[in-house]
């Protein structure tokens, strides 16, 4: 019998620890598949975060470094410059990337570092029990906003792709979601594009992926897929925010 589907060799045999209905696992799979299909896995170094993906170093079948507290883009910068032939990705949640690590993210982007950022936006701090994240939506109930996020008190959510696409160092920025099979395929295409931008040394690339956290949103796994569609997509429109990958961000690519 022919093989119809098999686990990608881009992932190890570790059992993922994510909650039922969490889409971190889907994102791991499509990132790992992309690295394999582009022939990049064996030269890849992944930089993994604090947050629920903290143990991603056990899951990706490539070299990894743990960079707590939002410092992944800074660590990725060092790896990329020391190993120019490596493929370097960061894998970061919205608390990690857009709160604790905002400075590292913005400055790596503005420097046009040849790295690929996989940004998992689930509108909440998952790992620590559901506190408000910079990306939590207006009126969203979280552990620290029990009456709903009030922008007058807690500010407005950060739209990372829109913000970063204003920076000259950014070659490619796209927001996708993984709440349906079609969207998963689009997300994988975006990841492959971002990795290709890096391979061609065209500048900083980021794929923001709208992801689920049924546990802390207080919904079922199926309801979480609708939650992404009904609550997140209107505030965080999907699409390509920047693509200057033909030309690249520097006139003389390294
Ligand atoms: C400076 C600092 N503040 C708070 C924490 C605690 N902390 C660890 S993970 C985390 C939330 C991570 O959320 P996110 O990045 O959105 O990832 P998720 O767990 O949702 O995937 C927090 C607040 C920390 N490690 N360091
Ligand atoms: S707490 Fe949320 S983000 Fe973390 S594994 Fe569970 S569902 Fe996923």
């Amino acid at each position: 019998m022919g093989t119809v589907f098999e686990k990608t060799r881009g992932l190890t045999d570790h059992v993922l620890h994510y909650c039922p209905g969490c889409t971190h696992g889907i994102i791991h799979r499509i990132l790992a598949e992309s690295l394999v299909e582009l022939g990049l896995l064996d030269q890849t170094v992944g930089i993994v975060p604090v947050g629920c993906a903290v143990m991603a170093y056990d899951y990706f079948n490539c070299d990894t470094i743990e960079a707590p507290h939002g410092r992944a883009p800074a660590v990725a910068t060092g790896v990329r410059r020391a190993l120019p032939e490596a493929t370097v990705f960061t894998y970061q949640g919205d608390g990690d990337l857009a709160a604790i690590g905002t400075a590292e993210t913005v400055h790596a982007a503005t420097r046009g570092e040849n790295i690929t950022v996989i940004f998992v936006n689930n509108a909440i701090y998952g790992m620590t029990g559901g506190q408000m994240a910079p990306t939590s939506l207006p009126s969203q109930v979280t552990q620290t906003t029990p009456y709903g996020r009030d922008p007058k008190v807690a500010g407005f959510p950060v739209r990372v792709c829109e913000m970063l696409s204003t920076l000259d160092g950014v070659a490619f920025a796209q927001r996708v979601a993984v709440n349906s099979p079609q969207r998963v395929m689009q997300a994988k295409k975006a990841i492959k594009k971002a990795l290709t931008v890096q391979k061609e040394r065209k500048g900083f690339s980021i794929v923001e992926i709208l992801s689920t956290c049924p546990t802390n949103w207080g919904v079922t796994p199926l309801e979480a897929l609708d939650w992404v569609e009904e609550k997140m997509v209107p505030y965080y429109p999907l699409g390509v925010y920047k693509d200057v990958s033909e030309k690249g961000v520097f006139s003389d690519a390294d």
Side-chain angles (χ1 to χ4, degrees):
M1 208 182 353
T3 305
V4 177
F5 182 83
E6 60 186 345
K7 183 182 80 59
T8 171
R9 79 173 184 90
L11 292 176
T12 66
D13 287 334
H14 269 87
V15 175
L16 306 189
H17 71 282
Y18 300 112
C19 306
C22 177
T23 44
H24 265 303
I26 292 176
I27 299 167
H28 282 21
R29 176 167 64 78
I30 57 177
L31 172 57
E33 285 175 353
S34 299
L35 291 166
V36 172
E37 287 165 24
L38 292 171
L40 300 173
L41 181 70
D42 297 329
Q43 65 189 58
T44 295
V45 182
I47 320 294
V48 301
V50 287
C52 282
V54 68
M55 286 187 281
Y57 47 71
D58 277 340
Y59 304 149
F60 289 107
N61 200 10
C62 59
D63 287 339
T64 49
I65 300 176
E66 172 66 41
H69 308 159
R71 307 311 182 233
V75 175
T77 298
V79 174
R80 193 69 182 75
R81 291 183 177 209
L83 301 173
E85 297 310 316
T87 298
V88 183
F89 72 83
T90 72
Y91 187 104
Q92 301 175 260
D94 41 311
D96 183 270
L97 180 145
I100 316 166
T102 315
E104 282 73 10
T105 308
V106 168
H107 288 286
T110 200
R111 289 193 306 270
E113 297 294 344
N114 257 309
I115 61 173
T116 298
V117 170
I118 305 298
F119 170 40
V120 181
N121 178 1
N122 60 12
I124 207 155
Y125 285 1
M127 180 199 199
T128 42
Q131 297 84 2
M132 186 193 83
T135 50
S136 295
L137 298 163
S139 80
Q140 183 178 337
V141 173
T142 71
Q143 289 291 331
T144 44
T145 56
Y147 303 110
R149 179 179 185 160
D150 178 357
K152 286 193 186 126
V153 178
F156 294 96
V158 179
R159 291 188 177 101
V160 169
C161 269
E162 287 86 331
M163 178 174 75
L164 293 187
S165 64
T166 66
L167 302 176
D168 289 344
V170 175
F172 180 71
Q174 182 170 353
R175 182 181 294 122
V176 294
V178 284
N179 60 331
S180 73
Q182 188 198 14
R183 290 264 173 81
V184 171
M185 285 161 71
Q186 286 166 350
K188 182 171 168 183
K189 202 169 154 207
I191 289 172
K192 285 177 109 166
K193 167 82 181 184
L195 291 168
T196 303
V197 167
Q198 179 185 165
K199 191 175 162 193
E200 293 174 355
R201 311 258 201 281
K202 294 297 170 88
F204 183 95
S205 52
I206 178 165
V207 181
E208 175 176 346
I209 305 172
L210 304 185
S211 187
T212 58
C213 182
T215 303
N216 289 302
W217 294 348
V219 299
T220 66
L222 275 180
E223 286 166 351
L225 301 176
D226 294 336
W227 204 96
V228 169
E229 197 64 35
E230 288 158 19
K231 312 247 188 201
M232 291 189 80
V233 172
Y235 203 91
Y236 298 111
L238 306 181
V240 176
Y241 283 85
K242 187 157 186 199
D243 184 0
V244 295
S245 58
E246 280 288 301
K247 194 160 141 286
V249 299
F250 300 109
S251 50
D252 53 339
D254 65 317

